[in-house]
Amino acid sequence: MRILEVKNLKKHFFPGGGEVLKAVDGVSFHIDKGETLGLVGESGCGKTTTGRTILNLHEITEGRVIFDGIDVGASRRGVRRELKKRMQIIFQDPYASLNPRMTVGDIIAEGIDIHRMYRGIKRQERVRELLDLVGLNREHAGRFPHEFSGGQRQRIGIARALAIEPEFIVCDEPISALDVSIQAQIVNLLIKLQKELGLTYLFIAHDLSMVRHISDRVGVMYLGRLVEVAESEELYEKPNHPYTQVLLGSIPVPDPKTAREHENIEITGEIPSSLCPPSGCPFRTRCRYAMEICSVQNPPLKEVTKGHYSACHLNDKK
Amino acid sequence: MEKILEVRDLGISFHTYAGEVEAVRGVSFYLKRGELLAVVGESGCGKTVTSKSIMKLLPDSTVEIKKGSEVRFEGRDIIKLGERELEKVRGKEISMIFQDPMTSLNPTMKIGDQIGESLMIHKKLSRREARKKTLEMLAMVNIPDPEERIDSYPHEFSGGMRQRVMIAIALSCEPKILIADEPTTALDVTIQAQIMKLIKNLQKKMGTSVILVTHDLGVVAGSADRVQVMYAGKVVERGTTDEIYYNPKHPYTWALLKSVPGAGSQKKSELYSLKGTPPDLMNPPKGCPFAARCDYCMSVCIEREPEETVSSGTHGVRCWLQHPMSPEVKNPITGGVR
Amino acid sequence: MKSNETDKTVQLTPDMFVIEGCSTIGAEEINRPEITYWEDAWRRLKKNRVAFGALLLLIFLLVMTATGEYMGGYSHEVTDSAIRNMWPDKTHWFGTDELGRDLFSRVWRGGRVSMLMGLLGATISTFIGCIYGGVAGYYGGRTDNIMMRIIEILTTIPYLMVVILISLYFGKGIFPLILAMTATGWCGMARLVRGQILQVKEQEYVTAAIALGAGPWRIITRHLLTNTLSIIIVSITFDIPRFIFAEAFLSYIGLGVQAPDTSWGALASASQQNLMFYPYQLFFPALMIALTMLSFTLLGDGLRDALDPKLRQ
């Protein structure tokens, strides 16, 4: 059952002087209930903006976001407010995403307070429950964020998102700022919560190995466009789009023998600016297979094999 | 191959309002000419403090370098040097590049001038000569159109380019040692690959010895000759890259290697994760610092710190499991025993 | 050497080598004592000797302005032509003025007025400035633009012109004094608050609150203002001496406090004619103005360092 549908989503920024920053430029995908869709890409690809636009933290420039049949962009304020209880977000930076002047208990209960879900003793109980759920000590509700480590703060952020009982959570690079051993803790927690509470995730990250582990399907973005979507094993074993191939080839493998023998696919050049993306296919300036048609026409996302979509003119030949 | 750098018993503490934080507790290691040593560990393990102390870049007011610490560069103890002599060493003999190229470059100076500054001070080159050498350096770090970019400002470059500029500055005076403190952590993975390749190439070309501080085990596997793993201010294991990856002996190293999901692991299965957090260095435990989180903890581990057991000349471990009185344990990485 | 240095004489026995695994009790413990932001700030302030000294001096001055008037045993307004213009001595510690009034009690009584005016002016300015800056910062965009341009226009009007216009319309006295001080005095605070709010607005915890469904009121009060508080406090501390000086200036030119009431500025003004012969009449009020301003400024410096979260240790 599709809980989220994104149709040709565009988010453009206007920094002034007539310039347009096309952060998200026509992205379409869907997520089924209980599923995790991973979204990967490098800086400037628009994955974070996509996640935030879905939650209406940025206004949609064009396109539609449909959550459980409700068109988010076209809804009235009241409906959107109710939707906030069902769609939540976890942030990347555990140091910046918690108000340093609020106690942990108040931070976690903020959603509860805003939507007036519990008061008094019940509120306290709920906060304690949430602390337990994320593996923190119940007694710490009165402490302040700076007294906790990065991993613990991230858990506080997760508890805050869970407080209002959402069905869908955008995980915006939740582990990028954490140490490797703590990353595993958080990923395990997210998986456990998904199983227990039936959550659906949009997992945005640039750590490809973690994404592979937690996601059912993965989408790859480049310069505001979705260039490939497939089931995660399929994507990692048989990447179709040249950019995906380069991306996967760049992952440093923690194995000296493989690292020595395997010559990583070298990619030249820098990521172009989103202010003036290349015409046609955005990746053509760095693609070793670039053809004439690539500078003229932006290849659409087409199904290559069942469930595996890729946006590349190379597939047209087949 | 001779040792160009020898660190012995390095102890560094920070004096804070709440007490003394022992960031580095008796660290010893060496660096041979032309090799790349990776220092691996998580936040708070002391690796950055250690690397900064090699050039005495730590703030004087709160930092105490313990008596008995020695940092010998080509025989001379750097810790004993005065500020003037240190200035001759920094940039010329030992250079450093940092994690965030945005804040390590002066935003109001053209990058050509920043590279040239070092050359004019240390190599006493004239402005014209420095400019020529700067262009060479820019080409060496693969910055396109060096003639034009030499007069650009840092904000006109992307992250990867800025990091290359930093490398150019660091290597311009052909130092004997380059200390790279998490040089690729803030970069995208494709740019990371480019930068690591660049560092390795330049290292071979110029014969520079490199100390690479990082937490990324993938990056280490691809570039390091030797690795040392730090935890809570101590070196818990050291060895050649092959030794550490294929025959690790310390439970913390095992945990690190197991935390990265491998290609074969089952989707959404529970990843191995360490419980708890590193110890508070204001009150470091008297025994092994890893005891509280170690699956193989024994009562001796809590009582006393393990000594280093050295095998094969290069492979050292600080762990009580190495002691003959401890039981045989299955090595989770190799599958073998101990 | 630390006391938990390994004791090498402990014997190693086989029973110490039994694997027990780690205990997870205490894994999520926090060892440091709870310390709130304000407690930490106070502690840091105390450590700063200069700032703490300034604080003590300030408290002393405040106490004196409250009670100093009654200490000497002389009234501040009773005139006595027999003891006119007397230099400071054992009975009249600060001497007497033109009309034979005891200067010690006049200085402290005047000090009360000066302090009050300074505090009042600072409070009103802060209030107006916070609201104005808060609205401009929160809404941003065109609203912010217009509001800031208004401030710019206000600050370009010469201060003396404002003062003269006010005195023409409202005459002399306490009310026009306060009006003159605060007419444009709030602009600095407004700019400061607006700038800070623009910055805090970008913090991720504000985004998180928006994502949870928080409305503008909650965001402004719970998130924006609370994190701007330290800046506001420091600014007030710097504003007070400005207003004390402004009051002194305005009273000096005759706009403010009228006889027989007095303030430090008024005292300075009155002593002008006798400056050549009786400089002590100017010396004491001027000294008090200087000391007060200095201690507020030093305290403000110290507060700024103490409240700066980046300097937390």
Side-chain angles (χ1 to χ4, degrees), chain C residues 150-220:
Chain C
I150 294 177
I151 285 191
E152 270 161 37
I153 293 173
L154 280 178
T155 48
T156 49
I157 304 175
Y159 185 50
L160 269 177
M161 257 190 66
V162 173
V163 169
I164 292 173
L165 283 171
I166 289 177
S167 73
L168 277 178
Y169 198 75
F170 292 99
K172 303 182 185 190
I174 299 269
F175 177 69
L177 170 68
I178 296 182
L179 192 61
M181 285 199 303
T182 56
T184 50
W186 54 269
C187 294
M189 178 64 83
R191 275 211 191 103
L192 197 66
V193 169
R194 170 223 179 232
Q196 186 69 3
I197 289 209
L198 279 179
Q199 211 186 353
V200 175
K201 219 174 45 156
E202 300 306 315
Q203 294 289 309
E204 249 176 12
Y205 56 82
V206 175
T207 314
I210 297 175
L212 286 165
W217 182 247
R218 193 186 167 89
I219 293 185
I220 293 180

XYZ file of all heavy atoms in Angstrom, chain C residues 150-220:
549
model
N 13.370 52.321 8.540
C 12.836 53.315 9.485
C 13.872 53.628 10.549
O 14.124 54.792 10.888
C 11.535 52.796 10.146
C 10.439 52.679 9.099
C 11.103 53.725 11.265
C 9.150 52.105 9.634
N 14.498 52.580 11.054
C 15.529 52.792 12.079
C 16.656 53.641 11.515
O 17.166 54.550 12.168
C 16.083 51.444 12.581
C 15.076 50.770 13.502
C 17.396 51.644 13.308
C 15.625 49.588 14.253
N 17.049 53.341 10.296
C 18.144 54.113 9.717
C 17.805 55.586 9.631
O 18.640 56.441 9.913
C 18.470 53.576 8.318
C 19.514 52.483 8.364
C 19.523 51.643 7.117
O 19.319 52.235 6.035
O 19.721 50.427 7.224
N 16.572 55.872 9.241
C 16.170 57.281 9.153
C 16.208 57.919 10.535
O 16.737 59.018 10.714
C 14.757 57.395 8.555
C 14.782 56.942 7.098
C 14.253 58.835 8.656
C 13.422 56.846 6.474
N 15.681 57.200 11.512
C 15.660 57.760 12.858
C 17.060 58.077 13.363
O 17.290 59.089 14.011
C 14.993 56.769 13.828
C 13.460 56.743 13.812
C 12.962 55.690 14.781
C 12.919 58.116 14.216
N 17.993 57.185 13.082
C 19.324 57.411 13.630
C 20.085 58.519 12.912
O 21.102 58.991 13.408
C 20.182 56.125 13.599
O 20.084 55.541 12.301
C 19.715 55.121 14.631
N 19.598 58.931 11.749
C 20.338 60.007 11.086
C 19.923 61.382 11.570
O 20.592 62.367 11.308
C 20.152 59.970 9.556
O 18.758 59.849 9.265
C 20.906 58.812 8.950
N 18.792 61.453 12.269
C 18.394 62.759 12.802
C 19.350 63.137 13.919
O 19.560 62.366 14.846
C 16.954 62.704 13.368
C 15.990 62.200 12.283
C 16.534 64.057 13.865
C 14.584 62.010 12.782
N 19.926 64.331 13.863
C 20.890 64.734 14.897
C 20.230 64.751 16.273
O 19.121 65.229 16.440
C 21.308 66.139 14.482
C 20.933 66.250 13.050
C 19.762 65.363 12.837
N 20.947 64.215 17.219
C 20.405 64.047 18.564
C 19.969 65.383 19.175
O 18.893 65.502 19.758
C 21.465 63.370 19.421
C 21.026 63.017 20.816
C 19.854 62.322 21.056
C 21.800 63.382 21.914
C 19.448 62.004 22.334
C 21.409 63.064 23.190
C 20.241 62.371 23.404
O 19.854 62.070 24.673
N 20.809 66.364 19.038
C 20.499 67.663 19.650
C 19.211 68.247 19.102
O 18.436 68.875 19.827
C 21.649 68.646 19.424
C 22.681 68.627 20.556
C 23.826 69.575 20.239
C 22.034 69.027 21.871
N 18.967 68.010 17.817
C 17.734 68.520 17.225
C 16.527 67.895 17.911
O 15.556 68.576 18.231
C 17.689 68.172 15.740
C 18.023 69.339 14.859
S 17.673 68.950 13.153
C 15.906 68.778 13.213
N 16.618 66.599 18.120
C 15.532 65.885 18.787
C 15.297 66.484 20.170
O 14.165 66.766 20.582
C 15.867 64.384 18.908
C 14.839 63.662 19.738
C 15.985 63.759 17.540
N 16.426 66.686 20.857
C 16.342 67.222 22.228
C 15.686 68.599 22.231
O 14.786 68.879 23.029
C 17.759 67.298 22.831
C 17.749 68.080 24.126
C 18.301 65.903 23.075
N 16.136 69.437 21.310
C 15.586 70.795 21.276
C 14.100 70.766 20.959
O 13.292 71.432 21.613
C 16.348 71.637 20.234
C 17.783 71.861 20.704
C 15.640 72.974 20.019
C 18.664 72.524 19.670
N 13.734 69.947 19.977
C 12.320 69.867 19.611
C 11.465 69.426 20.801
O 10.404 69.980 21.064
C 12.137 68.872 18.467
C 12.547 69.377 17.078
C 12.527 68.232 16.081
C 11.603 70.489 16.633
N 11.983 68.433 21.506
C 11.225 67.918 22.648
C 11.096 68.987 23.715
O 10.028 69.193 24.303
C 11.881 66.642 23.212
C 11.679 65.493 22.222
C 11.295 66.276 24.564
C 12.333 64.208 22.635
N 12.200 69.702 23.973
C 12.138 70.696 25.049
C 11.219 71.849 24.654
O 10.537 72.429 25.486
C 13.537 71.196 25.380
O 13.994 72.046 24.358
N 11.167 72.130 23.367
C 10.272 73.194 22.915
C 8.821 72.819 23.169
O 8.008 73.640 23.578
C 10.447 73.425 21.407
C 11.612 74.336 21.003
C 11.693 74.429 19.491
C 11.419 75.725 21.605
N 8.548 71.532 22.897
C 7.144 71.121 22.978
C 6.727 70.742 24.396
O 5.632 71.077 24.842
C 6.924 69.929 22.042
C 5.483 69.717 21.733
C 4.807 70.564 20.849
C 4.766 68.679 22.329
C 3.481 70.370 20.561
C 3.442 68.484 22.051
C 2.791 69.332 21.169
O 1.466 69.153 20.891
N 7.625 70.043 25.086
C 7.240 69.532 26.402
C 7.853 70.290 27.556
O 7.587 69.978 28.714
C 7.638 68.057 26.532
C 6.840 67.148 25.642
C 7.359 66.715 24.439
C 5.571 66.730 26.006
C 6.626 65.886 23.601
C 4.830 65.899 25.184
C 5.355 65.478 23.972
N 8.696 71.258 27.268
C 9.305 72.010 28.363
C 10.408 71.222 29.028
O 11.063 70.402 28.411
N 10.624 71.504 30.312
C 11.710 70.837 31.027
C 11.147 69.913 32.090
O 10.012 70.087 32.534
C 12.604 71.882 31.685
C 13.173 72.867 30.714
C 14.095 73.848 31.404
C 14.543 74.898 30.403
N 15.594 75.744 30.919
N 11.960 68.987 32.553
C 11.479 68.111 33.619
C 11.797 66.660 33.339
O 12.499 66.331 32.391
N 11.260 65.820 34.182
C 11.588 64.400 34.095
C 11.001 63.788 32.820
O 11.668 63.051 32.102
C 11.044 63.633 35.320
C 11.667 64.166 36.599
C 11.312 62.152 35.154
C 12.923 63.478 37.029
N 9.747 64.081 32.529
C 9.110 63.439 31.372
C 9.834 63.731 30.058
O 10.175 62.806 29.338
C 7.623 63.823 31.298
C 6.970 63.249 30.086
C 6.767 61.869 29.978
C 6.600 64.055 29.012
C 6.191 61.326 28.846
C 6.006 63.508 27.888
C 5.801 62.147 27.796
N 10.063 65.017 29.744
C 10.801 65.266 28.498
C 12.196 64.669 28.518
O 12.727 64.276 27.479
C 10.866 66.797 28.400
C 10.343 67.331 29.653
C 9.638 66.268 30.388
N 12.772 64.565 29.704
C 14.095 63.947 29.810
C 14.049 62.508 29.318
O 14.835 62.073 28.479
C 14.571 63.999 31.265
C 15.828 63.179 31.596
C 17.043 63.776 30.931
C 16.026 63.097 33.093
N 13.096 61.769 29.865
C 12.979 60.360 29.483
C 12.648 60.245 28.005
O 13.188 59.392 27.294
C 11.901 59.660 30.331
C 12.341 59.656 31.779
C 11.667 58.244 29.838
C 11.387 58.965 32.699
N 11.758 61.094 27.543
C 11.380 61.049 26.139
C 12.584 61.270 25.233
O 12.805 60.546 24.268
C 10.316 62.130 25.869
C 9.619 62.031 24.521
C 8.883 60.712 24.409
C 8.649 63.189 24.344
N 13.377 62.278 25.603
C 14.553 62.583 24.782
C 15.516 61.410 24.757
O 16.105 61.074 23.734
C 15.240 63.833 25.309
N 15.679 60.768 25.907
C 16.644 59.660 25.985
C 16.180 58.469 25.157
O 16.967 57.803 24.499
C 16.805 59.205 27.439
C 17.632 60.142 28.288
S 18.226 59.319 29.778
C 16.704 58.764 30.514
N 14.885 58.187 25.221
C 14.437 56.941 24.608
C 13.935 57.105 23.179
O 13.683 56.127 22.500
C 13.303 56.301 25.442
O 12.260 57.268 25.566
C 13.803 55.905 26.800
N 13.803 58.363 22.747
C 13.257 58.571 21.397
C 13.997 57.762 20.359
O 13.403 57.154 19.475
C 13.284 60.049 21.044
N 15.315 57.796 20.440
C 16.061 56.989 19.464
C 16.966 55.975 20.142
O 17.676 55.232 19.488
C 16.939 57.876 18.566
O 17.697 58.731 19.394
C 16.092 58.669 17.607
N 16.930 55.935 21.458
C 17.831 55.056 22.188
C 17.561 53.569 21.983
O 18.415 52.745 22.245
N 16.363 53.230 21.511
C 16.029 51.803 21.387
C 16.560 51.197 20.093
O 16.535 49.977 19.915
C 14.512 51.630 21.440
C 13.776 52.459 20.436
C 13.294 53.723 20.616
C 13.470 52.101 19.099
N 12.697 54.172 19.479
C 12.789 53.194 18.521
C 13.682 50.969 18.317
C 12.332 53.186 17.206
C 13.226 50.962 17.007
C 12.563 52.071 16.468
N 17.027 52.048 19.183
C 17.419 51.538 17.868
C 18.563 50.517 17.926
O 18.551 49.522 17.207
C 17.806 52.703 16.957
S 16.422 53.770 16.583
N 19.516 50.793 18.794
C 20.648 49.863 18.892
C 20.203 48.481 19.318
O 20.595 47.465 18.742
N 19.362 48.443 20.332
C 18.878 47.158 20.843
C 18.054 46.451 19.773
O 18.161 45.238 19.591
C 18.015 47.404 22.094
C 17.408 46.148 22.678
S 18.608 44.972 23.312
C 18.895 45.643 24.922
N 17.249 47.209 19.038
C 16.416 46.592 17.999
C 17.289 45.920 16.955
O 17.042 44.784 16.545
C 15.522 47.648 17.350
N 18.334 46.621 16.541
C 19.234 46.045 15.526
C 19.863 44.773 16.036
O 19.964 43.754 15.342
C 20.354 47.036 15.215
C 20.004 48.064 14.198
C 21.269 48.455 13.429
N 21.015 49.617 12.615
C 21.414 50.825 12.913
N 22.093 51.053 14.005
N 21.132 51.831 12.095
N 20.315 44.836 17.291
C 20.993 43.696 17.892
C 20.066 42.485 17.983
O 20.409 41.368 17.579
C 21.449 44.086 19.292
C 22.504 43.206 19.938
C 23.789 43.319 19.169
C 22.701 43.642 21.373
N 18.876 42.720 18.499
C 17.933 41.621 18.667
C 17.537 41.043 17.319
O 17.479 39.829 17.127
C 16.679 42.110 19.432
C 15.581 41.071 19.382
C 17.037 42.426 20.861
N 17.326 41.928 16.361
C 16.947 41.456 15.028
C 18.035 40.576 14.441
O 17.774 39.488 13.919
C 16.687 42.662 14.139
C 16.527 42.289 12.690
C 17.281 43.284 11.845
N 17.184 42.956 10.439
C 18.242 42.846 9.652
N 19.434 43.015 10.125
N 18.092 42.568 8.377
N 19.282 41.031 14.557
C 20.387 40.247 14.025
C 20.481 38.882 14.675
O 20.645 37.847 14.020
N 20.331 38.874 15.992
C 20.443 37.622 16.710
C 19.305 36.677 16.344
O 19.494 35.480 16.173
C 20.430 37.908 18.228
C 20.673 36.718 19.090
C 22.094 36.190 19.002
O 22.930 36.765 18.309
N 22.356 35.110 19.679
N 18.126 37.234 16.223
C 16.977 36.395 15.902
C 17.104 35.825 14.504
O 16.759 34.668 14.253
C 15.665 37.194 16.063
C 15.434 37.423 17.541
C 14.506 36.491 15.407
C 14.047 37.540 17.977
N 17.621 36.609 13.577
C 17.827 36.098 12.223
C 18.737 34.885 12.256
O 18.552 33.916 11.540
C 18.456 37.174 11.340
C 17.524 38.218 10.763
C 18.315 39.212 9.941
C 16.455 37.583 9.900
N 19.738 34.955 13.147
C 20.685 33.856 13.250
C 20.059 32.631 13.906
O 20.196 31.511 13.434
C 21.853 34.347 14.106
C 23.151 33.727 13.742
C 24.213 34.150 14.727
O 23.986 35.002 15.579
N 25.361 33.564 14.627
N 19.369 32.877 15.015
C 18.791 31.754 15.756
C 17.710 31.065 14.932
O 17.527 29.860 15.016
C 18.212 32.244 17.103
C 17.503 31.123 17.833
C 19.311 32.791 17.975
N 17.026 31.842 14.135
C 15.953 31.304 13.299
C 16.450 30.175 12.411
O 15.700 29.281 12.061
C 15.421 32.438 12.413
C 13.942 32.430 12.241
C 13.416 33.626 11.488
C 14.162 34.031 10.250
N 13.290 34.781 9.308
N 17.736 30.260 12.022
C 18.279 29.266 11.109
C 18.700 27.983 11.806
O 19.024 27.003 11.156
C 19.505 29.839 10.381
C 19.218 31.072 9.563
C 18.085 30.866 8.586
O 18.073 29.821 7.929
O 17.193 31.740 8.518
N 18.698 27.976 13.120
C 19.152 26.800 13.838
C 18.200 25.639 13.615
O 16.994 25.819 13.494
C 19.201 27.099 15.348
C 20.229 28.117 15.730
C 21.623 27.582 15.590
O 21.933 26.523 16.087
N 22.460 28.300 14.890
N 18.747 24.458 13.634
C 17.924 23.290 13.343
C 16.847 23.018 14.371
O 15.813 22.446 14.035
C 18.799 22.044 13.165
C 18.775 21.615 11.739
C 19.679 20.450 11.420
O 20.190 19.787 12.343
O 19.857 20.222 10.229
N 17.069 23.433 15.613
C 16.020 23.126 16.582
C 14.770 23.959 16.325
O 13.668 23.564 16.703
C 16.516 23.262 18.025
C 17.104 24.597 18.399
C 16.285 25.658 18.744
C 18.471 24.772 18.435
C 16.827 26.870 19.103
C 19.020 25.979 18.794
C 18.194 27.028 19.130
O 18.733 28.220 19.486
N 14.945 25.084 15.658
C 13.766 25.861 15.276
C 13.024 25.137 14.157
O 11.792 25.041 14.159
C 14.173 27.284 14.832
C 12.970 28.041 14.332
C 14.808 28.026 15.983
N 13.785 24.608 13.195
C 13.167 23.823 12.124
C 12.418 22.641 12.711
O 11.303 22.309 12.290
C 14.236 23.294 11.148
O 15.130 24.337 10.819
C 13.591 22.756 9.891
N 13.031 22.013 13.718
C 12.388 20.860 14.347
C 11.060 21.271 14.960
O 10.063 20.561 14.830
C 13.311 20.269 15.417
N 11.046 22.421 15.612
C 9.802 22.876 16.232
C 8.748 23.153 15.177
O 7.572 22.818 15.358
C 10.067 24.132 17.063
N 9.164 23.743 14.072
C 8.217 24.001 12.988
C 7.672 22.684 12.458
O 6.468 22.538 12.213
C 8.894 24.789 11.846
C 9.346 26.153 12.350
C 7.934 24.958 10.674
C 10.127 26.943 11.322
N 8.581 21.699 12.325
C 8.147 20.395 11.808
C 7.152 19.735 12.741
O 6.291 18.970 12.317
C 9.357 19.487 11.602
N 7.262 20.032 14.038
C 6.334 19.442 14.990
C 4.993 20.165 14.981
O 4.024 19.693 15.548
C 6.929 19.484 16.400
C 8.039 18.482 16.667
C 8.799 18.851 17.929
C 7.490 17.085 16.800
N 4.966 21.332 14.329
C 3.704 22.034 14.234
C 3.614 23.282 15.109
O 2.532 23.810 15.315
N 4.759 23.760 15.616
C 4.721 24.932 16.492
C 4.315 26.179 15.722
O 4.690 26.361 14.575
C 6.098 25.141 17.130
N 3.547 27.042 16.367
C 3.113 28.281 15.746
C 4.090 29.402 16.066
O 5.000 29.230 16.879
N 3.912 30.591 15.467
C 4.873 31.687 15.659
C 5.078 32.062 17.119
O 6.197 32.275 17.566
C 4.257 32.858 14.891
C 3.264 32.262 13.982
C 2.828 30.964 14.555
N 3.988 32.100 17.882
C 4.124 32.540 19.268
C 5.061 31.622 20.040
O 5.966 32.057 20.745
C 2.738 32.576 19.922
C 2.788 33.063 21.324
C 2.518 32.368 22.455
C 3.162 34.372 21.762
N 2.686 33.139 23.570
C 3.083 34.389 23.181
C 3.557 35.546 21.103
C 3.377 35.516 23.928
C 3.849 36.652 21.864
C 3.759 36.635 23.254
N 4.863 30.330 19.897
C 5.687 29.379 20.603
C 7.134 29.463 20.167
O 8.051 29.401 20.975
C 5.158 27.957 20.337
C 5.768 26.971 21.284
C 5.414 25.548 20.991
N 6.289 24.698 21.768
C 6.033 24.275 23.001
N 4.894 24.592 23.593
N 6.917 23.539 23.645
N 7.327 29.636 18.877
C 8.687 29.701 18.367
C 9.396 30.938 18.904
O 10.554 30.874 19.332
C 8.682 29.704 16.827
C 8.182 28.358 16.360
C 10.053 30.012 16.270
C 8.226 28.144 14.899
N 8.688 32.075 18.888
C 9.340 33.302 19.349
C 9.658 33.206 20.838
O 10.774 33.510 21.263
C 8.452 34.532 19.083
C 8.325 34.755 17.581
C 9.037 35.769 19.731
C 7.468 35.947 17.210
